[in-house]
Amino acid sequence: MTLRDLINRLLGRQQTSAETAKERLQLVLAHDRSDLNPELLMQMRREILEVVSRYVEIDMDEGDVSLETEDRVTALVANLPIKRARAVPLAKGETSESEEEADPADPVFRAKVSS
Amino acid sequence: MSAASTRTILICSGKGGVGKTTLTANLGIALAKQGMRTAVLDADFGLRNLDLLLGLENRIVYTAQEVLAGTCRLEQALVKHKQEPNLALLPAGNPRMLEWLTPEDMQKIVAMVSASYDYVLIDAPAGIEGGFKNAMAAAREAIVVTTPEVSAVRDADRVIGLLNSNGIQPIQLVLNRVRPKMMANQEMLAVNDVTDILALPLLGLVLEDEQVIVSTNRGEPLTLHGTSSPAARAYTNVARRLRGEDVPLIDPAKEGRGLRAKLGRLMTKKLF
């Protein structure tokens, strides 16, 4: 945190263009380096969320599965806030009540209804 | 000198217009002035310009093409620089060479040149296609040139991936066209941002310098006339570091004088 960052935060200003550039680059390079096709990445993300949510209730709005890169090594990072654990894991393909209320446009939801 | 100790260095960037050819010309002259027998090779057969930046465009008789075809000797094709006789240019041939040139051809040319030079700098074409791969095949090490812009850094990253998978080692970075004022205002990627993202050691940091344009107008690389301008100093220091000398890098934040620069430094100082 620099003095400029602090002032910007206090004033509610957007971040500097250099910071934006850095974040955009890190994201695009993670994808370039992984050489994964975006469609497969989407599918993998959906399946990971599906598997995890059979065991624990996760906050779908806050959850994120993304690629990160550091020192030219790319990692798949899942950040999935847990609401609560399930007493009994759901069976494959089974959905919980709360998730049935989910927005049909949500890719996770669609993955479940189609399977 | 045997070819085994000759350093063959690819100068590349991926993106065009970031300063590959300018670096090749200036580094070539700087190394020559430091007593190194240096050959610069224009491997950009499609859009050659190294001859122009060195002011040698009117003295080309033969090119790499005739050397490969065996219709002239290497010594006939190499153009010696008048003021700096330690430097010679092997000009690129006709753009049609792109149709038949192979990586083996480039290796052959570089091996021939290596026999009588300490440094062979290979000016790669932009892009990552055939022309670049030919140039890469002939080099042992590489200097990646980039600017603090997202497009240039992304392209540099792609090139570094290719260099890594081809066993080119070491790969070092030259960050070109740095604008200290913009960096201080955090309107340009910081030096650390670029080196962190690309994970390469920094061989040099060159500030944006109008004198570079003046020097290309004249066909006289800045390093030819000492170190009067910031870019000339930077290129000379790249040559010294390349030879193993420990020369500290400039700090762009300390370049600006006056209140604005001081304020910029205060604003970007880490608080916690």
Side-chain angles (χ1 to χ4, degrees):
Chain A
M1 167 86 66
T2 65
L3 190 56
R4 185 186 300 276
D5 296 334
L6 187 68
I7 293 170
N8 285 345
R9 196 163 293 185
L10 290 176
L11 295 178
R13 269 193 227 151
Q14 64 182 71
Q15 60 186 0
T16 63
S17 73
E19 192 53 40
T20 312
K22 188 182 176 184
E23 285 174 10
R24 290 179 61 217
L25 256 176
Q26 279 170 330
L27 194 66
V28 77
L29 289 185
H31 285 261
D32 284 356
R33 288 171 185 171
S34 73
D35 221 6
L36 267 173
N37 121 17
E39 201 192 330
L40 287 180
L41 192 66
M42 254 329 253
Q43 190 183 335
M44 180 169 70
R45 181 177 296 164
R46 255 186 252 136
E47 288 176 16
I48 288 172
L49 287 173
E50 195 186 325
V51 169
V52 174
S53 59
R54 289 212 318 260
Y55 295 88
V56 289
E57 262 183 65
I58 50 181
D59 187 343
M60 290 294 183
D61 298 328
E62 295 294 313
D64 184 31
V65 179
S66 61
L67 293 174
E68 280 179 18
T69 176
E70 199 168 312
D71 268 352
R72 304 196 61 82
V73 178
T74 302
L76 183 73
V77 180
N79 182 4
L80 307 171
I82 297 173
K83 284 192 200 158
R84 70 184 83 92
R86 295 191 194 284
V88 185
L90 299 177
K92 209 172 176 183
E94 191 183 344
T95 54
S96 73
E97 284 163 34
S98 66
E99 276 151 359
E100 272 162 339
E101 292 158 16
D103 178 3
D106 180 3
V108 180
F109 182 79
R110 262 189 287 140
K112 283 200 180 106
V113 289
S114 62
S115 62
Chain B
M1 163 145 308
S2 71
S5 60
T6 300
R7 290 178 67 180
T8 53
I9 307 171
L10 184 72
I11 317 269
C12 56
S13 66
K15 188 177 180 300
V18 298
K20 280 181 299 297
T21 307
T22 306
L23 175 68
T24 309
N26 279 286
L27 184 56
I29 294 277
L31 284 168
K33 283 184 83 154
Q34 291 168 26
M36 300 290 107
R37 291 173 304 165
T38 307
V40 288
L41 224 107
D42 195 347
D44 193 349
F45 294 96
L47 303 162
R48 61 184 215 188
N49 272 321
L50 188 54
D51 53 346
L52 208 52
L53 295 204
L54 285 165
L56 299 174
E57 70 275 17
N58 292 326
R59 294 182 39 214
I60 295 172
V61 183
Y62 300 108
T63 68
Q65 190 173 0
E66 287 78 28
V67 176
L68 270 175
T71 52
C72 82
R73 284 175 295 110
L74 177 68
E75 294 71 34
Q76 291 174 291
L78 284 168
V79 186
K80 278 228 154 75
H81 198 276
K82 272 212 182 92
Q83 286 120 296
E84 206 46 70
N86 272 332
L87 184 87
L89 163 76
L90 183 63
N94 190 296
R96 267 171 296 156
M97 272 180 90
L98 287 170
E99 291 161 20
W100 53 264
L101 196 81
T102 65
E104 290 73 32
D105 289 329
M106 281 300 290
Q107 285 167 344
K108 194 174 146 194
I109 298 176
V110 172
M112 287 167 77
V113 178
S114 297
S116 37
Y117 287 88
D118 303 314
Y119 283 83
V120 180
L121 307 181
I122 305 164
D123 185 20
I128 51 172
E129 292 82 26
F132 168 76
K133 285 180 175 150
N134 285 342
M136 176 171 64
R140 282 202 199 109
E141 47 186 300
I143 297 174
V144 176
V145 189
T146 191
T147 63
E149 289 161 76
V150 286
S151 51
V153 175
R154 184 193 200 175
D155 293 357
D157 187 74
R158 183 57 65 88
V159 163
I160 294 163
L162 288 171
L163 295 169
N164 275 331
S165 56
N166 279 273
I168 306 281
Q169 193 58 248
I171 308 169
Q172 301 182 87
L173 187 71
V174 168
L175 189 56
N176 208 7
R177 311 193 65 169
V178 169
R179 298 172 184 232
K181 212 185 268 176
M182 288 191 75
M183 265 187 193
N185 290 334
Q186 288 190 292
E187 297 296 351
M188 180 173 255
L189 283 168
V191 177
N192 285 345
D193 290 345
V194 180
T195 52
D196 286 353
I197 287 170
L198 297 178
L200 287 188
L202 196 56
L203 181 67
L205 211 153
V206 188
L207 301 185
E208 177 83 63
D209 185 347
E210 287 179 357
Q211 289 305 310
V212 171
I213 296 175
V214 177
S215 80
T216 54
N217 290 345
R218 299 207 171 103
E220 294 170 359
L222 283 174
T223 45
L224 200 56
H225 306 298
T227 53
S228 49
S229 81
R233 272 196 296 281
Y235 289 127
T236 302
N237 286 340
V238 169
R240 289 169 63 192
R241 287 187 204 106
L242 200 58
R243 295 180 53 218
E245 238 183 279
D246 185 17
V247 186
L249 285 155
I250 53 155
D251 179 357
K254 299 214 171 87
E255 286 307 301
R257 281 176 235 287
L259 197 62
R260 223 186 132 88
K262 275 183 197 149
L263 192 65
R265 282 196 279 282
L266 181 69
M267 296 291 269
T268 52
K269 203 170 167 188
K270 281 250 187 307
L271 295 173
F272 45 83

